[in-house]
Amino acid sequence: MSHVLIVDDEPDIASVLAELLGDEGFDVRVVHDGRQALAAMAEKKPDLLITDLMMPRMDGHTLIREVRDSAPLRDIPILVMSAGTLDRNLVTPKTRFLPKPFEFDRMLEVLKQLLG
């Protein structure tokens, strides 16, 4: 069972994603900003990080930079889902962008590719 950390400040979106991914057999944890995500990853390293870009306290761009600069975390695949635009400097083979709105089946396909 893969452990997925969802980072989104929209509680409704985060809870729907958590429920859908849980139904698919993923172990899911939800936090609501980048700072909470870093604290959660210090407790338990996820197999995959799903993050929004626009969040209070620490946005997704800063979170991705922190993860990629951290030796223990830098190899975690990241799925960015946002209505915003991902900074091109953050695009790597282990970072994929999915614009909102999206179909859950498409997100699941990308997620499985990242974990593959």
Side-chain angles (χ1 to χ4, degrees), residues 2 4-8 10-32 50 81 102 104 107 111:
S2 296
V4 176
L5 180 63
I6 297 173
V7 189
D8 198 313
E10 295 288 337
D12 292 341
I13 292 173
S15 70
V16 167
L17 281 178
E19 184 175 331
L20 291 171
L21 290 174
D23 290 346
E24 292 292 327
F26 292 95
D27 172 38
V28 181
R29 182 170 182 188
V30 174
V31 295
H32 301 290
I50 298 175
M81 48 175 209
F102 55 83
F104 179 70
M107 188 195 91
L111 189 146

Side-chain angles (χ1 to χ4, degrees), residues 9-90:
D9 63 328
E10 295 288 337
D12 292 341
I13 292 173
S15 70
V16 167
L17 281 178
E19 184 175 331
L20 291 171
L21 290 174
D23 290 346
E24 292 292 327
F26 292 95
D27 172 38
V28 181
R29 182 170 182 188
V30 174
V31 295
H32 301 290
D33 65 53
R35 287 186 187 171
Q36 291 176 349
L38 291 173
M41 288 188 282
E43 293 175 11
K44 183 177 181 182
K45 182 179 173 182
D47 297 305
L48 183 120
L49 175 65
I50 298 175
T51 186
D52 191 6
L53 291 176
M54 296 174 280
M55 298 179 289
R57 297 183 0 131
M58 179 186 286
D59 67 19
H61 287 107
T62 304
L63 173 61
I64 294 167
R65 285 186 191 96
E66 292 283 334
V67 169
R68 294 299 182 229
D69 287 344
S70 167
L73 302 176
R74 74 174 42 126
D75 291 331
I76 296 173
I78 301 174
L79 174 57
V80 180
M81 48 175 209
S82 178
T85 304
L86 180 63
D87 181 340
R88 288 182 181 201
N89 294 325
L90 298 177

Side-chain angles (χ1 to χ4, degrees), residues 84-98:
T85 304
L86 180 63
D87 181 340
R88 288 182 181 201
N89 294 325
L90 298 177
V91 175
T92 71
K94 290 195 167 236
T95 304
R96 298 281 304 271
F97 179 74
L98 195 58

